Amino acid sequence: MKAPVSWIRELVDLPAEVTTEVLTDRLTALGLKLEGIDSADITGPLVIGRVLTKEPEPQKNGKTINWCTVDVGEANGTGEPQGIVCGAHNFAPGDLVVVILPGGVLPGNFVISARKTYGHVSAGMICSVRELGIGEDHDGILVLPPDAGVPGDDVFGLLGLDDEVIEFEINPDRAYALSLRGVAREAALGFGVPFADPAVRELPAADGKAWEVVVDDPAGCPVFAARLVSGFDPAAPTPEFIKRRVEQAGMRSISLAVDITNYVMLELGQPIHGYDADKVVGALGVRRAREGEQVTTLDDAVRKLSVEDLVITDDSGPIGLAGVMGGATTEMSGSTTRILVEAAHWDAVSMFRTGRRHKLTSEAGKRNERGVDPLLPGVAADRVVELLVEHGGATAEPGFTLVGTAPERTAITIATDLPARLSGIDITAMTTVESLRAVGATVTEQDAGTIEVVPPAWRPDINDPYDLVEEVVRIVGYDQVPSVLPRRATGRGLTRTQRLRRRVGRTLAGAGLVEVVSFPFVGEATFDKLGLPAGDPLRVTVGLANPLSSEEPAYTTTLLPGLLEAASRNVGRGAPGVALFETGTVAFPADNGAAPIYGVHTRPSEAELEKLVEALPVQPQHLAVVLAGERRRAGWWGAGTDAGWTDALAVVRRLAADLGVRVEVGAAARMPWHPGRCALVSIDGVQLGHAGELHPSVCAAYGLPARSAAVELDLDALMAAAADVTPGPDFSTMPLAKEDVALVVDAGVTVAAVEAALREGAGDLLESIRLFDVYTGEQIEEGQKSLAFALRFRAPDRTLTEAETGAARDAAVARAAELTGAVQR
Amino acid sequence: MSGPNTDYDPVEVAAVSPAELEAARDAALAAIADAADLEQLKAVRSEHAGDRSPLALANREIGALPPQARKEAGQRVGQARGAVNQALAARQEVLEAEHEARILVEEAVDVTLPTDELPVGARHPLTTGAELIADIFVAMGWEVAEGPVIEAEWLNFDALNLGPDHPARTMQDTFWTEPADNHVVLRTHTSPVQARTMLTRGVTEEAPIYVVCPGRVFRTDEYDATHSPMFHQVEGLAIDEGISMAHLKGTLDHFASQMFGEGITTRFRPSYFPFTEPSAEVDLTCFVCRGTGLKGEGPDTCRTCRGEGWIEWGGCGIVNPRVLQACGIDSERYSGFAFGMGIDRTLMFRHGLEDLRTLFEGDVRFTTAFGSEL
């Protein structure tokens, strides 16, 4: 909402010392937030001049310039006529014009100086409205009316250039402030000065005779006012003050009749529509649109109507989208002489829905959907008629049609100490009552510290006791709220899951991984890039009805795409290697039907809440890792090593060790991993996810180094398996006995299988087992491999004898032979 | 080697003559002093103090002397050997010390060599920032509540007094999941977590609600330097007996000074949010100019707050009783406050970030600058 300061001051008698800055500060404190202040970008001297002489001088370039002398009074310091070259021709000696003298600055930082041009010294400039920044007209210079003033007069005031325009951000609950009436009322409230309500008017008695109006839907249109004027002069110009104010408010000046309806809307907040009465056939009607109807609105769009849209009709059918935009068939034109004026109160929800349905925002719709004072229609129509008569030479036709009445406001009962209790400010009952009266409410005092409050008609947002509290507190001042810490919080600290999540992040960062936060939006192309086969479960997504990009219309089922893109970006920016991780939500459709919408007056039952939750997608937390390129850097110490499948598994194992979880690893083949270098990670047989080297095609698709590796795990499952309270380990300090064994097995036998067999066979004396070498080559047969394990034995209570350790080792080897065909080398 | 010779005349025994002993001792001492390193000293020890050294041989001859001569000869030999052994030990100590010192010198390295073989990891400032905020509140006895990012429309809107036709719904451009009539959205704020907390926990005199809800939220904003379709919020909710705006102000002032430093406080301006009434915008003392509005000593205006001295931080208010009602809380008995602000935006202020997108690009140079705690 843009409000000229001069207009505000016209409606409220603000003290002179209230500057624009003081005014905006006060209004911001009351809830009308300052967005910005527009002011003219001109520095004087800018004065009235009277053209004394005007000599046309044709030039070689075909143009004719005028060499003028202009009386600018004493403004030039000498009182002598000022010589000025002017290219325009729409004036004559004797005319009053606007002159900017050397030293002045026009908008666009255009500095005026005396300069030699066309063989003269031109000492200043005669201005057009466009040069002054107050209009678009550049056909000629601005010629002032003969009674505008005398030469040398400052014209800032005359042209409104000294005016400032305040732009406010208006919250949905302050729709009344989308008018000068509302802004001025707040200003009056803010400075405790009287307010001249422009909506207070003496109205003729409603007789229904202006025009026949039939309202079929009184719920959608509780009040409809109509007036008629005739003999309007369609050529009459818009008076300067109306034009200026309409433009200051950010609207275009179109024609006198349209400008007047907009002017009154700005003044009062009531949207108004003017019809060319000669184009309206029969009675005006208000009803919901019928199936298949359409209407062409003023913006020349053909709009297919919904049965929920409120429309204005005449005998021809719908002629306008009620309250939002008028129709083309009855539009006022350059030949309109009879104007039918409509001002109506509309159901805000219906307006909101129609605006949204037709993606149509208009100044009228914006006000109607937020709620307008229902007492205004008759007043606004009368005000429009007054201005059409005054400035358009029209005659007000007798008759005033007013259908319906404004709905009654219900009284709200409130304890007088509620504002004090909820604000923490010491607010007396008297202050409460006075503040509510100041905002226009009718307050009746009841017994026992309660009052009954009827909110003013222009405040449809006030319905509850708490709404009244806000009114009182904003008048007392939000800056009066004291600062007191509540003392009763009895929290139990972070939950176990929250602590575990931090632990996971710290462990991964400690392993040299950098956390990434990426967007969860994916599409088919994303999954194609990952090489997922058709029908892969990860392709079954929760779709978005209104995605930002049609390429990525779904919520992701995997964290890898975001990580791979980030890795690719880092590599593209020159990183020799990158190790990233992300934790976050992935989503899988639940397919349990729609989530119910319940009422809001009582709490839903447990069963109802459960239904709500069941309808939501399954949303586990995942953890993903991408390792690409150099993992250990090359340097003066020697070569570096690139990330590979082992690094991916090392991350998994490190994390598992930190969380006290035993993960099992087995071979798997799953895109986007290399089919021979992918591990399925599980806990107690429950699958957790995969880790390993990425498929070469995926590395290529993302532009990542060959052998880049990745992990994706179900973080919820991993954290659920984490040791709750870790029992203190029991370990022996007796001497250690070492035995190394080398076993030859078929190449297809896994290390895990051999190790498990050794462990089983070695028995309780085995403290640890670790593979330290794998050998294939000349010394053993082809298709076989040699695995060297270091076995470490220790007893809890004694030094082991050689015989004991030897026996345990032999038992271990024997079990490995039995289960895996291992032969000791 | 000879056996005892009782008839032997000691005067004639040359081996233990004082002159020879002296010569042998002096030769030994000279050799010891000449030994340049431990290796040489080892050879000297063998030659002059070993089994076949003159002094050892002389010692052995003492037994062959007549008893009357043994004492004196023994003393002389003993003194000579003692002197040699002492000198050996002393020289050994010196040479060992020299050796050790030399090794340490030889082993010196250029300590300025790089040692960056292992990569350095880091956690994302959005994660650690949310933790920092959570910790500030946990320290006051609050709890951290969480909920799903894909949420029921009823919980995201209706329960929070944002009815289907509430104009505020257009203020929050919502991502709807398919099919749209499933009434499931990507949550537009973390407020549904507040609703869930009230619905599942309720509130009693013994267990009031004091929770913060940090989390990821979505709106259909085009992605640019200050807007993102995904961002992060932290909201707070307190429901207890006798809660007022003063408690809200106290809590936010504390939060502000913990997050941005002593002397940073908040200011309220009337505003509108459907879930609170009265509602306020929260401004934060500009922590760059510390409220002066000036850049340094002036006269230029502060770039961060554009001379206002305050920065918009978030929204807050007293929980609308309609919300309490929908969530099954006795609004006659309990009142509450709620607040919410962007974590991304808060971090942008705190760390002087120019472009929101740096948070989501995943450039490791950005993230590693913050380490593993904020």
Side-chain angles (χ1 to χ4, degrees), chain A residues 12-140:
Chain A
V12 54
D13 190 15
L14 291 174
E17 65 270 22
V18 175
T19 61
T20 302
E21 200 187 340
V22 171
L23 176 63
T24 54
D25 280 356
R26 189 73 191 96
L27 289 176
T28 296
L30 280 173
L32 302 190
K33 200 198 159 207
L34 174 68
E35 274 284 290
I37 299 174
D38 298 342
S39 54
D41 210 4
I42 299 181
T43 315
L46 187 72
V47 297
I48 294 181
R50 184 182 302 281
V51 180
L52 300 175
T53 61
K54 177 191 177 201
E55 298 297 330
E57 295 181 356
Q59 302 295 316
K60 281 190 223 116
N61 62 8
K63 262 172 77 177
T64 299
I65 60 105
N66 292 301
W67 169 240
C68 307
T69 54
V70 185
D71 174 9
V72 294
E74 295 297 323
N76 56 6
T78 64
E80 295 297 313
Q82 196 81 358
I84 298 174
V85 171
C86 181
H89 304 282
N90 65 325
F91 62 102
D95 280 352
L96 292 184
V97 295
V98 175
V99 177
I100 186 155
L101 296 173
V105 184
L106 286 175
N109 205 23
F110 179 22
V111 181
I112 306 299
S113 58
R115 62 191 182 96
K116 209 167 156 116
T117 179
Y118 297 112
H120 298 281
V121 173
S122 182
M125 194 169 118
I126 304 176
C127 306
S128 71
V129 292
R130 194 162 80 182
E131 285 155 353
L132 292 168
I134 55 175
E136 286 306 307
D137 191 357
H138 197 52
D139 291 343

Side-chain angles (χ1 to χ4, degrees), chain B residues 303-362:
Chain B
R303 272 181 61 204
T304 307
C305 64
R306 295 198 198 92
E308 293 275 313
W310 296 94
I311 306 170
E312 285 183 35
W313 196 22
C316 67
I318 293 293
V319 180
N320 195 315
R322 288 167 185 255
V323 174
L324 297 180
Q325 218 169 56
C327 295
I329 287 172
D330 180 356
S331 61
E332 293 293 318
R333 179 161 182 195
Y334 298 102
S335 56
F337 68 72
F339 61 84
M341 51 272 303
I343 297 178
D344 320 59
R345 193 171 150 73
T346 300
L347 293 180
M348 285 178 80
F349 297 155
R350 193 172 186 263
H351 300 277
L353 310 182
E354 299 280 335
D355 191 326
L356 180 65
R357 288 171 291 198
T358 52
L359 290 167
F360 305 114
E361 277 188 326

Side-chain angles (χ1 to χ4, degrees), chain A residues 131-167:
Chain A
E131 285 155 353
L132 292 168
I134 55 175
E136 286 306 307
D137 191 357
H138 197 52
D139 291 343
I141 53 102
L142 173 60
V143 178
L144 298 170
D147 59 352
V150 298
D153 282 0
D154 184 287
V155 292
F156 277 89
L158 181 72
L159 298 179
L161 294 171
D162 56 348
D163 201 3
E164 289 172 301
V165 179
I166 308 172
E167 185 173 2

Side-chain angles (χ1 to χ4, degrees), chain A residues 482-543:
Chain A
S483 187
V484 180
L485 270 180
R487 295 280 174 207
R488 268 187 22 103
T490 55
R492 296 157 292 186
L494 295 178
T495 63
R496 178 176 145 71
T497 310
Q498 287 160 354
R499 282 185 285 115
L500 279 171
R501 210 180 303 132
R502 291 185 176 196
R503 189 165 160 186
V504 167
R506 288 203 191 99
T507 303
L508 294 174
L513 274 67
V514 177
E515 189 176 16
V516 162
V517 173
S518 43
F519 291 166
F521 306 121
V522 292
E524 285 302 317
T526 317
F527 299 126
D528 293 345
K529 210 168 168 182
L530 289 182
L532 298 186
D536 191 289
L538 291 185
R539 286 183 181 266
V540 184
T541 55
V542 175

Side-chain angles (χ1 to χ4, degrees), chain B residues 283-305:
Chain B
D283 293 342
L284 184 72
T285 318
C286 176
F287 57 90
V288 174
C289 66
R290 303 195 74 81
T292 64
L294 298 174
K295 185 178 177 184
E297 299 296 308
D300 292 345
T301 50
C302 172
R303 272 181 61 204
T304 307
C305 64

Side-chain angles (χ1 to χ4, degrees), chain A residues 14 19 195 432 437 450 493 530 538 602 644 727 769:
Chain A
L14 291 174
T19 61
F195 167 62
T432 297
R437 286 191 175 137
T450 61
L530 289 182
L538 291 185
T602 53
I769 182 167

Side-chain angles (χ1 to χ4, degrees), chain B residues 184-202:
Chain B
V184 173
V185 301
L186 305 196
R187 67 181 179 193
T188 57
H189 44 198
T190 51
S191 314
V193 182
Q194 301 185 21
R196 282 169 174 266
T197 305
M198 290 187 271
L199 285 162
T200 54
R201 266 183 53 177

